[in-house]
Amino acid sequence: MTYRHDVRTRRWVFADLKELMAKATPPRSGDMLAGVAAGSAEENVAAKICLAEVPLKRFLTEALIPYETDEVTRLIIDTHDPVAFAPISHMTVGDFRNFLLSDAATPATLAMLAPGITPEMAAAVSKLMRNQDLILIAKKCPVVTKFRNTIGLPGTLAVRLQPNHPTDDPAGVAASILDGLLYGCGDAVIGLNPASDSLPVLSDLLKLLDGIIDRFEIPTQACVLTHVTTSIELIDRGVPIDLVFQSVAGTEAANASFGVNLAVLKEGMEAARSLKRGTIGNNVMYFETGQGSALSANAHHGVDQQTCEARAYAVCRPFEPLLVNTVVGFIGPEYLYDGKQIIRAGLEDHFCGKLMGLPLGCDVCYTNHAEADQDDMDTLLTLLAAAGLTYVMGIPGADDVMLNYQSTSFHDSLYIRDLLGLKRAPEFEVWLQRMNITGADGRVLNHDASHALLGMMPNLAA
């Protein structure tokens, strides 16, 4: 279907919904690289005006990627909940924006609507929004998940403690874990990106993390971020695994480049749940995404990168994940050129994921060759935390020595808690107080009250 909009003496014509969505997207380098971006600010505005008039129902009949050739499209259409969609089925994209910003869009109402919102609907309405709109609406969409603690409650912000080491040295990993715990981090997950894909190395790392959690009775979960098929094999070998990790994208072809499909993800979830390691819940999956992943695999089908990213959340949704994380600036400036584009993308991703009912966190990050710096990350961290972000990264010094990128530090989590009065997962808060790491107010204690942890550090990696 062709879409048209007249501006003074010029008529803008968009061949189909896919082109219209791309042209309406705020500027970013990835869409320019793909050749789908608007050619001018005037064309971008014309596309936004035209997109605002598109009925939401259109997204159920005009697929951006054909149903017959893409299992993600089939998943989106086949699992769409018409009953949940009914209250907004008469709306256009512009009407939907106005509704989301109204007092009628309460947290309870938005939670009921989530199964009826397709990723294309979420992406479309986000393209009409200012940053403040993305923040305000996402704030109204808390998503709560559970494994050994409760993540996502309003007024909380969890932290993934990321103890990466360039050689997977157990002593180095243990030192980073203890450093993070003493700053009150680790309630989202103690999550390690391994340098090796050796099964014996991965097994030893998982046993190390499990041993620390068990020895100190920490109400949290561990994850070594290896491929889902590797996790399945480790589970078969009796290795202790809490969460199964996988990077996912928004098209079948992009997921194939990661070596996964929906059936494999289901197998991973079922394998993890069979272990019954969760004490208060069974949300066992951990997914990571990021704008540009489909384009980098030449698997975007001409769809703009932000819409592809929203489609990745449709991949995550059926697997009831504990955590979903947009690694927003990690892929590089070819896809998000500078701090402004990274900030916008982070807010879009968080908004779309929360609107679709997912526990969205964000790795607030950038690569060293991007036109961005730590001040940009401070800005994005603050905006996302105000928007109700589920969790953020905690990395020693904000500098990942294994992946070689810049993220957020243990200290950054203290800053944002102090600024906005945010608490940790409640079970983790109780543990920190019991260990004399924090006081009743949640602040890290100034005196050296953690000898129990420090005294055991030399033995943890043994």
Side-chain angles (χ1 to χ4, degrees):
M1 180 173 180
T2 302
Y3 299 85
R4 297 182 176 86
H5 182 71
D6 295 325
V7 180
R8 296 179 182 174
T9 60
R10 179 163 186 176
R11 168 168 287 187
W12 294 96
V13 180
F14 308 97
D16 52 26
L17 190 53
K18 177 166 61 177
E19 181 183 3
L20 178 64
M21 293 272 282
K23 301 293 188 183
T25 305
R28 65 206 58 201
S29 53
D31 290 338
M32 297 173 190
L33 179 66
V36 302
S40 66
E42 184 179 16
E43 184 180 23
N44 180 247
V45 171
K48 289 179 188 293
I49 294 171
C50 193
L51 181 60
E53 298 170 355
V54 174
L56 291 178
K57 287 181 178 178
R58 184 73 48 75
F59 294 97
L60 300 175
T61 59
E62 185 176 344
L64 304 190
I65 302 173
Y67 180 95
E68 296 76 14
T69 60
D70 187 89
E71 72 169 359
V72 177
T73 298
R74 293 194 292 275
L75 174 69
I76 292 166
I77 299 300
D78 294 349
T79 62
H80 180 253
D81 187 336
V83 175
F85 179 61
I88 58 173
S89 62
H90 63 287
M91 295 183 184
T92 64
V93 177
D95 294 334
F96 189 35
R97 174 188 177 274
N98 293 338
F99 164 74
L100 291 172
L101 288 167
S102 74
D103 291 337
T106 64
T109 299
L110 294 178
M112 289 189 291
L113 287 175
I117 299 172
T118 70
E120 290 86 356
M121 294 175 193
V125 75
S126 76
K127 297 176 192 299
L128 306 184
M129 293 183 175
R130 295 169 57 184
N131 286 0
Q132 65 174 242
D133 301 336
L134 299 172
I135 294 167
L136 184 63
I137 297 165
K139 180 74 170 180
K140 297 192 287 186
C141 301
V143 178
V144 177
T145 57
K146 297 181 180 182
F147 188 75
R148 290 201 189 100
N149 58 26
T150 307
I151 296 171
L153 292 169
T156 66
L157 175 68
V159 176
R160 169 186 159 187
L161 200 171
Q162 185 167 308
N164 295 350
H165 191 278
T167 63
D168 293 331
D169 178 64
V173 170
S176 292
I177 291 173
L178 289 168
D179 189 24
L181 291 173
L182 293 175
Y183 280 104
C185 297
D187 47 346
V189 63
I190 301 176
L192 170 72
N193 297 91
S196 171
D197 59 2
S198 159
L199 288 177
V201 171
L202 298 174
S203 178
D204 288 345
L205 289 170
L206 284 160
K207 291 175 182 177
L208 169 65
L209 301 187
D210 181 63
I212 292 173
I213 290 173
D214 181 66
R215 178 176 298 188
F216 298 113
E217 300 178 335
I218 309 173
T220 191
Q221 36 282 328
C223 185
V224 171
L225 282 66
T226 188
H227 195 272
V228 59
T229 56
T230 305
S231 293
I232 293 169
E233 184 168 353
L234 289 166
I235 289 171
D236 289 341
R237 295 185 177 197
V239 178
I241 288 183
D242 294 338
L243 307 183
V244 167
F245 167 82
Q246 185 56 50
S247 293
V248 295
T251 72
E252 180 178 345
N255 284 323
S257 75
F258 292 147
V260 297
N261 56 37
L262 298 177
V264 169
L265 296 177
K266 182 179 180 182
E267 184 182 355
M269 180 183 70
E270 291 173 348
R273 284 186 170 174
S274 72
L275 299 179
K276 299 180 180 179
R277 291 175 59 82
T279 54
I280 64 171
N282 66 347
N283 298 118
V284 298
M285 299 300 286
Y286 176 9
F287 294 115
E288 284 192 350
T289 67
Q291 288 195 30
S293 58
L295 175 58
S296 68
N298 194 28
H300 62 294
H301 301 278
V303 177
D304 69 272
Q305 68 180 41
Q306 189 248 333
T307 301
C308 283
E309 172 70 4
R311 285 170 57 95
Y313 305 149
V315 173
C316 301
R317 190 158 53 176
F319 301 102
E320 301 176 347
L322 181 76
L323 306 166
V324 179
N325 176 40
T326 170
V327 193
V328 65
F330 182 74
I331 301 181
E334 298 85 359
Y335 307 95
L336 295 170
Y337 179 72
D338 57 15
K340 182 178 177 67
Q341 291 187 12
I342 292 171
I343 289 168
R344 173 71 190 190
L347 295 176
E348 289 170 345
D349 294 352
H350 180 247
F351 163 85
C352 288
K354 285 293 184 65
L355 192 64
M356 292 172 62
L358 287 171
L360 248 288
C362 182
D363 191 343
V364 178
C365 64
Y366 64 100
T367 56
N368 286 313
H369 61 307
E371 292 295 322
D373 59 27
Q374 212 65 38
D375 286 339
D376 295 314
M377 300 306 101
D378 289 349
T379 299
L380 180 53
L381 171 64
T382 304
L383 295 176
L384 284 171
L389 183 69
T390 299
Y391 72 106
V392 72
M393 302 297 118
I395 298 171
D399 184 4
D400 192 298
V401 295
M402 196 279 283
L403 293 173
N404 293 312
Y405 78 114
Q406 306 302 311
S407 186
T408 46
S409 71
F410 303 141
H411 302 77
D412 292 333
S413 68
L414 299 182
Y415 146 73
I416 201 65
R417 292 190 197 288
D418 198 31
L419 178 70
L420 299 179
L422 298 171
K423 296 185 178 298
R424 302 169 181 87
E427 301 86 350
F428 196 74
E429 286 269 21
V430 171
W431 179 82
L432 290 172
Q433 293 171 25
R434 179 164 60 84
M435 297 298 292
N436 290 321
I437 295 173
T438 65
D441 58 0
R443 290 179 177 273
V444 173
L445 296 176
N446 291 325
H447 60 87
D448 186 7
S450 303
H451 290 102
L453 287 172
L454 292 173
M456 291 186 180
M457 187 172 72
N459 301 318
L460 287 175

